[in-house]
Amino acid sequence: RSYQNQAPRQIFLVLRTHRQSTMTDAVIRIKPHYYIHVLDKMTNVTRVEVGPRTFTREEQEQVVLVPTAMIMIPPRHYAIIENPVVRNEDGEVVFDNLGQAKIRHGDKEVRREGEPFPLYPGESLYGKVSPLQVVAPNTALRLIAKRDCVIEGEAHAAGSEWLFKGPGTYIPRVDVDVSEIVKASIIKPLQALRLRCVKEFTNSNGVTRQAGEEYLLREPGAYLPNVDEVVVETLNAFILTEKKALHLRARQEFTDVFGVQRKAGEEWLVTLADTESHIPDVQEIVIGEVDITVLSSRQYCVIVDPVDAETGKPRLGTRELRKGECSFFLCPGEKLENGIQKVHILDSEEALLLRAREQFTDGDEIRRPGDRWMIHGPCDYVPPVTVEILESRRTIPLDVNEGIYVRDIKTGRVRSVIGKSYMLKSDEERWAKDLPSVVQEILAKEGKPVDPKGQTEVVTYKAPHNTAVQIYDYKSKQPRVVFGPDLVMLGPEEQFTVLSLSGDKPKRPHVIKSLSLQLGPDFMTDVVIVETADHARLSLKLSYNWHFEVDKEQPDKIFSVPDFVGDACKAIASRVRGEVALHSFDEFHRNSAKIIRTAVFGIDEKNKIRNRFAFSANNLVISNIDIQSVEPVDSRTRDALQKSVQLAIEITTRSQEAEARHEAERREQVSRGQIEKFKLLNEAKAEESRKNLLQLQSQSATVESTGAATAEAKAHAARAEIQGQAAVEAARLNAEANKIKYKAELAQLKAEQEAETEHQKALNELEISRARDLAAIESGKFKRIVDAIGRDTLKSITTSGPDMQEKLLTGLGLQSFLVTDANSPINLFNRSAQ
């Protein structure tokens, strides 16, 4: 590594030492195409010595430049020399009177291929020897003059620019710089080049362009922009078809490619009828592509502000009707009113409500602005521009229990149409009936949602069984009552009477909202706070049975009291509080039912409690009272009552515990007696078992003495018995096996015989059927032959001679025949023998 670090320095020192030695040598050998600079110290002039030669240095001379290779420029190359020497017309170097070569200080010179040449003192090579620049086709060099010069007979001032177009080889000059390489823009078919003029100039076509002007070049091919113009962009043409057009707007006044004078802001369409493709000019703004509008035979449209076909100007404020089949482009400024519309096809139950926009003649009738009329189906209708379609109407089918509200827009009268199909007239409209929010909520809860904006259908309400509904007519100012079950249908001026009843326990007003009034019988429950004579406050929970007694002559009387529940509960509570205040707590506790019933119903002439309490204002009758609970309100009274109840419960509990304890002791004594009894019985049984045990032990000893011989004899006997039983069982099993085997063989044989019999039977039946069918065929054939021959022919055969019969039989294919009837039997056996 130390050697590698020291090697470059050593090489440099060797070269430096060689150079110094060469410059100080007295004799220098100069190779061909090499040169040296020699300084004469006496005259202080430096000259050039060119090889090949051997140069002997004199004492006053000094070699200031070691032997250096001459500059060689190959063909199609060049070199730039700084501070070049001055040469005369013959190309020779000019020296001054001292012999020093004159140089052009601060100047440069371009030298091309030739003989190798040395550099004179003061000259230097700028850069390196470079190849000449080749300019390809469709490209150019943008040149700028650094100083005034004349090139190819044309004078160029400093700062002027021009192009060197290819193909060619550019010879560089010291007074000209290459600023950039310009490439040609390729203009394809259906394309154009948008150019902008930088400064005023006249192009090759003799057209003068002003600075800042933009223009298009539409000719296909390669285009090299001038030095005074720049390429802005390449534009593609818009392809126009039968279904597409181009919407343009003029930036300024100009004449377009079609020779039409356009003004600033003017808009127009370019269609396929004008050209197949269009490249927007620089003065044209592309608004967009417009699709064709196609109308079928069942479509139409209304165009607002249509363009006059002759003048091309929009007719503002006018409308134009176009029917299919047709197709067109919407011109600038035109727009469709409500888009493409379908022809109105009306059936027999449909109509259109029309209104005139302006005065016109409709057949024999003159329509004025604002007139309304209807056109009924079946037909198809396209409204003219003078007519406005307000709405499409259909016959409204109505059942017996259905209806609608209809309002006459001329008189303002509202009526209801119920139970028949109805078509609104031209001066009628459906009227929306407003219902109070309370009524809407009640109907919505019952499954009949109502439109908050108004109900155009007749409002109906199904009055439940045993209810009454009151409807008030604000026009006649008379109510009517409908008893359920029935269907209530409101007229235009009628409204429901909403019942706002008290509810909850204790009763609170406006809890229950209802349209129907229950006639009863029913019950209602209330909580009443009373105070006894000894100031004991009690909370009574009372339930009242009630019903209405309806007067058919005055049915609306039951609706006289808006909140009959609250009024009835208040009246009854007032009576109960007044009566309870006359009695003490103990007395009321013992006779609460009688006291409350007496307070509510009162006592008749016979000093008996009545059974009803009637309200004459609305015919409400209270028929019974049920006391569901009585609770003290005062905490001390409640505590004392609770203590007494707890004491009674405790006494009852203690008595029950003592009785249970006595019964448990009794049962325990009985159980002990039973245990002693069972104990004695078990001891007796144990003694009996011990006696039996002793007898068995004695018998066992006897058996042991005689047991061996007896056991052996019994064993032999048992073995013989078992062997005999086994032999018998084996014989029985063999017999059963043989029996089963024989039965199986017999069954198999029987099955085979039955199958063979069935098979033979089937074959016989088939043969019989075949014979029967053949006989039927033969008989049918014979019958047809006989029918074909006829009776007369057969008669002739029977009466003819033998020769004739033979010919006839041969012709008929019969060998013989016999004609007879049932009355004359024939012996066929003898006949066949003959």
Side-chain angles (χ1 to χ4, degrees):
R1 181 177 299 175
S2 60
Y3 173 77
Q4 292 177 357
N5 294 334
Q6 294 177 3
R9 180 174 178 81
Q10 293 177 354
I11 295 171
F12 173 73
L13 292 176
V14 169
L15 293 176
R16 183 177 179 183
T17 305
H18 175 70
R19 182 177 180 182
Q20 289 178 355
S21 62
T22 303
M23 295 177 66
T24 57
D25 290 341
V27 177
I28 300 174
R29 294 177 177 82
I30 305 173
K31 298 178 181 179
H33 299 147
Y34 276 75
Y35 69 95
I36 62 173
H37 288 178
V38 179
L39 173 63
D40 190 347
K41 297 180 180 180
M42 298 295 294
T43 60
N44 203 20
V45 174
T46 304
R47 69 180 185 277
V48 177
E49 296 292 340
V50 180
R53 60 171 294 189
T54 300
F55 173 72
T56 302
R57 182 176 61 84
E58 297 181 359
E59 186 66 25
Q60 74 278 8
E61 292 177 342
Q62 180 183 356
V63 178
V64 295
L65 180 64
V66 299
T68 304
M70 294 182 181
I71 296 175
M72 290 182 292
I73 302 177
R76 301 191 60 79
H77 283 66
Y78 73 97
I80 299 177
I81 306 299
E82 287 185 327
N83 303 322
V85 296
V86 179
R87 297 180 182 272
N88 56 19
E89 297 178 356
D90 298 332
E92 297 178 353
V93 179
V94 178
F95 296 93
D96 58 8
N97 52 3
L98 298 177
Q100 180 71 43
K102 292 183 178 182
I103 60 175
R104 293 176 291 166
H105 295 282
D107 198 359
K108 294 181 181 178
E109 182 182 53
V110 177
R111 297 181 185 177
R112 298 180 59 194
E113 67 273 9
E115 294 294 331
F117 60 90
L119 292 178
Y120 284 87
E123 290 183 335
S124 61
L125 179 63
Y126 180 77
K128 61 181 180 179
V129 177
S130 305
L132 294 175
Q133 187 171 2
V134 177
V135 182
N138 295 331
T139 58
L141 298 180
R142 189 183 185 95
L143 305 179
I144 181 171
K146 295 194 293 184
R147 54 193 176 191
D148 296 342
C149 59
V150 178
I151 301 175
E152 297 180 355
E154 184 179 356
H156 297 278
S160 61
E161 295 180 340
W162 68 96
L163 294 180
F164 179 82
K165 300 180 181 179
T169 302
Y170 173 68
I171 307 300
R173 296 174 57 93
V174 295
D175 48 3
V176 176
D177 280 344
V178 178
S179 60
E180 63 176 339
I181 298 175
V182 180
K183 293 184 179 180
S185 298
I186 306 300
I187 305 175
K188 300 178 182 179
L190 302 180
Q191 284 186 342
L193 204 61
R194 184 171 181 174
L195 305 173
R196 182 171 59 243
C197 181
V198 178
K199 65 179 181 178
E200 183 179 355
F201 79 101
T202 301
N203 60 14
S204 58
N205 297 329
V207 180
T208 301
R209 301 293 183 182
Q210 302 296 328
E213 180 184 357
E214 292 188 359
Y215 46 92
L216 294 183
L217 185 64
R218 302 174 185 268
E219 298 177 0
Y223 177 74
L224 276 171
N226 198 287
V227 292
D228 298 324
E229 59 186 4
V230 294
V231 177
V232 178
E233 61 178 335
T234 300
L235 300 177
N236 293 320
F238 289 88
I239 306 301
L240 304 178
T241 63
E242 296 178 352
K243 298 181 180 181
K244 187 182 295 184
L246 197 61
H247 184 187
L248 302 176
R249 180 191 299 160
R251 297 178 185 269
Q252 60 188 24
E253 185 176 356
F254 77 106
T255 301
D256 61 11
V257 294
F258 306 108
V260 180
Q261 184 71 23
R262 304 293 183 184
K263 295 183 179 181
E266 182 181 353
E267 296 183 4
W268 69 97
L269 288 181
V270 178
T271 63
L272 183 63
D274 300 325
T275 180
E276 295 181 354
S277 61
H278 180 71
I279 301 175
D281 206 340
V282 293
Q283 287 82 16
E284 296 174 348
I285 301 175
V286 178
I287 304 301
E289 293 180 345
V290 179
D291 294 329
I292 194 170
T293 303
V294 180
L295 299 179
S296 66
S297 60
R298 310 305 296 170
Q299 291 178 334
Y300 73 96
C301 67
V302 177
I303 298 177
V304 181
D305 301 334
V307 175
D308 193 342
E310 297 180 358
T311 62
K313 303 297 181 183
R315 293 177 292 161
L316 300 178
T318 61
R319 302 162 72 247
E320 179 183 341
L321 175 66
R322 295 185 185 178
K323 302 179 183 179
E325 299 175 351
C326 68
S327 60
F328 57 91
F329 291 102
L330 283 177
C331 296
E334 293 181 343
K335 57 183 178 181
L336 294 179
E337 184 181 58
N338 300 327
I340 297 176
Q341 305 178 55
K342 295 183 179 180
V343 176
H344 297 274
I345 301 176
L346 306 178
D347 57 20
S348 59
E349 301 295 330
E350 192 173 5
L352 291 177
L353 178 61
L354 308 178
R355 182 172 63 188
R357 296 177 182 267
E358 56 188 58
Q359 184 173 344
F360 71 99
T361 302
D362 184 9
D364 298 334
E365 188 175 357
I366 298 176
R367 304 289 186 184
R368 292 179 174 82
D371 286 353
R372 294 161 60 106
W373 72 98
M374 295 182 67
I375 179 171
H376 296 267
C379 66
D380 54 359
Y381 180 72
V382 176
V385 295
T386 56
V387 175
E388 176 187 4
I389 298 178
L390 296 181
E391 63 179 358
S392 175
R393 291 181 174 179
R394 292 190 63 87
T395 300
I396 304 172
L398 299 175
D399 197 3
V400 179
N401 296 329
E402 294 179 340
I404 58 172
Y405 298 114
V406 179
R407 177 175 178 268
D408 192 327
I409 61 176
K410 292 183 177 180
T411 63
R413 189 173 69 89
V414 181
R415 62 189 179 93
S416 58
V417 179
I418 300 174
K420 62 179 182 180
S421 299
Y422 187 74
M423 170 70 78
L424 294 176
K425 299 179 182 179
S426 60
D427 54 353
E428 291 180 343
E429 65 180 3
R430 296 187 68 171
W431 180 73
K433 181 179 180 63
D434 293 331
L435 295 176
S437 58
V438 177
V439 176
Q440 294 181 13
E441 293 176 0
I442 295 174
L443 293 177
K445 289 180 180 178
E446 296 185 3
K448 294 183 178 180
V450 180
D451 190 356
K453 297 180 180 179
Q455 187 74 7
T456 58
E457 299 177 354
V458 171
V459 179
T460 60
Y461 177 73
K462 295 180 180 179
H465 177 72
N466 198 28
T467 60
V469 179
Q470 186 183 41
I471 300 98
Y472 188 80
D473 191 341
Y474 285 90
K475 185 176 182 180
S476 63
K477 297 184 180 179
Q478 293 294 330
R480 63 185 178 97
V481 179
V482 178
F483 293 94
D486 199 355
L487 181 66
V488 181
M489 304 184 73
L490 289 186
E493 306 296 337
E494 291 181 338
Q495 291 289 351
F496 289 107
T497 298
V498 181
L499 300 177
S500 179
L501 306 178
S502 298
D504 210 346
K505 303 172 188 177
K507 289 292 183 284
R508 294 186 296 107
H510 310 298
V511 174
I512 302 173
K513 305 290 183 180
S514 177
L515 299 179
S516 59
L517 177 64
Q518 297 287 340
L519 299 179
D522 203 347
F523 69 93
M524 53 186 172
T525 305
D526 192 14
V527 176
V528 181
I529 306 298
V530 299
E531 186 174 354
T532 62
D534 51 359
H535 305 290
R537 291 175 58 83
L538 302 176
S539 175
L540 306 181
K541 188 175 182 181
L542 306 178
S543 180
Y544 317 123
N545 289 2
W546 60 269
H547 67 274
F548 282 99
E549 294 181 349
V550 181
D551 187 359
K552 298 298 182 181
E553 296 181 357
Q554 294 180 345
D556 58 335
K557 188 176 181 181
I558 58 178
F559 292 93
S560 299
V561 179
D563 186 6
F564 75 92
V565 175
D567 290 353
C569 289
K570 289 178 182 178
I572 295 173
S574 176
R575 290 192 174 198
V576 170
R577 280 193 291 268
E579 185 65 25
V580 173
L582 300 177
H583 301 276
S584 64
F585 174 74
D586 293 336
E587 186 179 357
F588 176 76
H589 190 67
R590 290 193 299 270
N591 304 312
S592 59
K594 182 179 180 181
I595 292 172
I596 292 175
R597 292 178 62 86
T598 302
V600 176
F601 297 129
I603 300 175
D604 58 4
E605 295 81 2
K606 297 180 181 180
N607 202 19
K608 292 184 179 180
I609 300 175
R610 294 188 179 93
N611 58 358
R612 56 180 289 162
F613 175 36
F615 293 86
S616 59
N618 59 349
N619 293 340
L620 176 66
V621 177
I622 305 298
S623 59
N624 191 17
I625 297 178
D626 180 22
I627 304 172
Q628 295 184 350
S629 66
V630 177
E631 295 181 358
V633 177
D634 189 7
S635 60
R636 292 179 296 175
T637 305
R638 188 186 302 110
D639 294 341
L641 183 61
Q642 289 179 355
K643 286 181 180 179
S644 63
V645 172
Q646 290 177 358
L647 182 61
I649 294 173
E650 186 177 356
I651 292 172
T652 304
T653 304
R654 288 179 180 177
S655 64
Q656 291 178 353
E657 288 179 354
E659 184 179 358
R661 191 182 306 109
H662 181 269
E663 181 67 20
E665 290 177 355
R666 185 185 66 80
R667 290 181 179 180
E668 185 179 0
Q669 293 296 332
V670 172
S671 299
R672 287 179 180 177
Q674 293 287 341
I675 290 172
E676 290 294 333
K677 180 180 177 180
F678 288 146
K679 185 177 180 182
L680 294 174
L681 292 174
N682 291 334
E683 288 179 354
K685 289 181 179 180
E687 291 295 332
E688 185 69 24
S689 298
R690 189 177 296 109
K691 176 182 176 182
N692 293 333
L693 177 61
L694 293 175
Q695 290 178 356
L696 292 174
Q697 287 178 353
S698 63
Q699 291 177 2
S700 177
T702 303
V703 170
E704 287 179 358
S705 61
T706 61
T710 304
E712 185 176 359
K714 287 182 178 181
H716 285 293
R719 183 178 66 181
E721 183 180 2
I722 291 170
Q723 288 178 353
Q725 290 179 355
V728 172
E729 184 67 21
R732 187 180 65 80
L733 292 176
N734 288 332
E736 289 182 358
N738 293 329
K739 182 179 179 180
I740 292 171
K741 179 178 178 182
Y742 296 150
K743 283 183 178 181
E745 292 177 354
L746 180 61
Q748 182 179 1
L749 180 60
K750 183 179 180 181
E752 290 177 356
Q753 292 176 355
E754 289 178 353
E756 185 177 358
T757 303
E758 291 294 332
H759 178 67
Q760 188 63 35
K761 183 179 180 181
L763 292 177
N764 295 336
E765 288 179 354
L766 290 174
E767 189 65 26
I768 293 170
S769 177
R770 178 174 176 274
R772 186 185 298 112
D773 293 340
L774 290 175
I777 292 170
E778 289 296 330
S779 62
K781 178 181 177 182
F782 183 75
K783 184 177 182 301
R784 287 194 297 273
I785 293 172
V786 171
D787 292 339
I789 294 172
R791 293 182 178 180
D792 296 336
T793 305
L794 292 174
K795 184 178 180 181
S796 300
I797 293 172
T798 55
T799 58
S800 62
D803 296 334
M804 178 61 89
Q805 290 179 358
E806 182 180 359
K807 292 179 181 180
L808 289 174
L809 292 174
T810 303
L812 294 175
L814 298 176
Q815 294 180 1
S816 65
F817 73 97
L818 178 64
V819 178
T820 184
D821 55 7
N823 297 324
S824 300
I826 299 173
N827 189 355
L828 296 178
F829 294 99
N830 297 330
R831 187 70 179 176
S832 61
Q834 292 176 4

